[in-house]
Amino acid sequence: MIRLGIIGTGRIAKRFVYDAWQGLDVEIVGVYNPHMESAEKFCAENHVKAAYSDWNLFIHAIEAVYVASPLGTHAEYAKKALEAGIHVLCEKPMVVSGAQAEELFALADEQQCVLMEGIKTAYSPGYKKLRELLEEKPIGEIRDVEACFTKLVKPGLREWTHLEDCGSMTELGSYGCFAVLSILGEDYVESHHVSLRNENGVDIFTKVFFSYHSYATGLVKSGIGVKSEGELLISGTKGYILVKAPWWMPKCIEVHFEDANKTQKYTCEYVGNGLQYELEHFVKRIKGTQMASGVTKEQSIKIAYIMEEFLRQEKDYRIVRK
């Protein structure tokens, strides 16, 4: 039984605890928050054994950790945990600096620890089925991938107001970027984005465009103030694959051809919030019974660079706007 701790007491940490019971060889032994009152409240509400505000006590009680704290703290907590020989599952985006991502993976290798980014879609049965279908090339050569993830967030919440870790791209863009990179590869030629912003200059809807020489294109749409159809569309030379909304919780996959009578449909299991899929993968990797699939090291690093470039341009925009 792997002793797992949680860093952070927000919404995603609560969903993680809810999903973690599902027959996995892991025990959540405690939660860490530098504010003890928050840690104790989380434990009481979510039936977690122990609350910690002392880092050393927390780290000595666990073998692995799920980092679910605010984005700006991910790098620090992941690094401290890895330095202590603790395996790390980190919420997306893991970091928003390519150099930091490379540093963390190098440290994980040095410490012989597992470091894994928690983009839950990558580990779900539906996405695994999609990967199997793509290997069979039913739609010929892939020429375009479009992934959309939007949700309406009430003004005043963190995603809408906190200039350091807010906005649609950092909140939701990792999912779409993963889809494009995992299907088309990491070697795109160029990317650029356009955003719609609220009164604070925070992006509430962003499109990121990718080009792959002359053979393929990608599009990622993320929104917290604009609602759109949350589908994944993969276009090829012989047909297209549609993963119906919400594609990041994939339950229905359709393969379409010019002849509509040849349409193929697949249904896939997806239980709860889906966080148990990434946790199961994480546990198996720690035990050495699972290869490093799902979100690869290369994809995590590339996503970090994408986020870094996006935030650099956003910072420049806000400076000019002032």
Side-chain angles (χ1 to χ4, degrees):
M1 186 74 70
I2 292 175
R3 292 177 285 111
L4 177 74
I6 298 174
I7 299 175
T9 54
R11 286 166 284 169
I12 191 66
K14 293 178 181 179
R15 293 197 291 269
F16 185 84
V17 172
Y18 178 83
D19 281 357
W21 62 268
Q22 303 184 52
L24 304 179
D25 190 22
V26 63
E27 178 186 13
I28 298 177
V29 297
V31 63
Y32 172 83
N33 189 309
H35 306 287
M36 190 61 172
E37 183 179 343
S38 295
E40 289 176 338
K41 181 180 178 182
F42 183 91
C43 289
E45 293 177 349
N46 298 279
H47 309 291
V48 175
K49 285 185 175 181
Y52 294 90
S53 61
D54 184 301
W55 175 262
N56 290 326
L57 291 178
F58 173 69
I59 215 70
H60 282 94
I62 63 175
E63 300 168 84
V65 69
Y66 171 55
V67 180
S69 54
L71 170 58
T73 65
H74 285 185
E76 177 187 2
Y77 283 138
K79 183 177 181 180
K80 287 171 65 177
L82 290 170
E83 288 174 339
I86 303 298
H87 304 285
V88 175
L89 170 62
C90 187
E91 251 312 316
K92 54 75 195 166
M94 185 172 69
V95 290
V96 290
S97 160
Q100 280 185 336
E102 291 182 354
E103 178 187 359
L104 288 175
F105 277 108
L107 178 59
D109 289 342
E110 179 184 318
Q111 294 289 87
Q112 296 184 321
C113 288
V114 173
L115 172 61
M116 196 176 106
E117 185 168 9
I119 301 176
K120 63 182 182 181
T121 306
Y123 310 98
S124 66
Y127 205 82
K128 291 178 181 178
K129 178 62 179 179
L130 175 63
R131 296 299 305 169
E132 292 174 5
L133 286 171
L134 292 176
E135 288 182 9
E136 297 171 5
K137 292 192 173 183
I139 60 171
E141 299 300 321
I142 297 171
R143 292 292 180 252
D144 184 61
V145 175
E146 299 181 17
C148 177
F149 189 166
T150 65
K151 66 177 182 180
L152 296 181
V153 174
K154 293 180 181 179
L157 292 181
R158 170 189 57 79
E159 296 93 332
W160 195 273
T161 60
H162 291 197
L163 295 181
E164 296 303 317
D165 56 355
C166 65
S168 64
M169 184 60 180
T170 54
E171 181 67 17
L172 303 174
S174 298
Y175 290 97
C177 289
F178 164 72
V180 170
L181 297 178
S182 69
I183 296 170
L184 295 178
E186 297 100 48
D187 59 340
Y188 58 86
V189 177
E190 62 179 356
S191 69
H192 68 277
H193 79 273
V194 292
S195 295
L196 304 178
R197 300 175 177 87
N198 66 11
E199 62 277 4
N200 297 320
V202 174
D203 74 296
I204 58 171
F205 186 70
T206 291
K207 289 184 176 182
V208 183
F209 302 86
F210 298 87
S211 61
Y212 288 76
H213 293 286
S214 59
Y215 77 85
T217 57
L219 172 64
V220 173
K221 295 194 291 184
S222 306
I224 60 171
V226 175
K227 189 65 180 173
S228 188
E229 182 72 10
E231 63 185 20
L232 173 62
L233 180 62
I234 306 166
S235 303
T237 54
K238 296 181 180 179
Y240 67 89
I241 293 177
L242 173 66
V243 186
K244 289 192 170 184
W247 76 265
W248 56 94
M249 301 168 66
K251 300 176 184 177
C252 180
I253 301 172
E254 297 181 355
V255 184
H256 293 261
F257 304 96
E258 191 70 21
D259 183 351
N261 294 318
K262 294 183 178 180
T263 299
Q264 302 167 4
K265 297 184 179 182
Y266 304 87
T267 57
C268 306
E269 175 192 60
Y270 196 95
V271 178
N273 299 296
L275 295 167
Q276 74 277 11
Y277 299 124
E278 67 184 31
L279 178 56
E280 179 181 22
H281 192 96
F282 182 54
V283 169
K284 287 182 177 179
R285 281 194 58 189
I286 292 172
K287 293 183 173 183
T289 59
Q290 173 68 58
M291 297 293 289
S293 56
V295 185
T296 66
K297 174 173 71 173
E298 292 76 18
Q299 290 162 358
S300 284
I301 291 172
K302 183 63 75 170
I303 290 171
Y305 275 112
I306 292 169
M307 292 292 175
E308 180 178 5
E309 176 61 17
F310 169 79
L311 291 174
R312 184 192 65 77
Q313 292 182 34
E314 289 298 287
K315 183 178 180 181
D316 290 345
Y317 166 80
R318 289 170 185 163
I319 291 174
V320 171
R321 183 170 175 267
K322 288 181 179 179

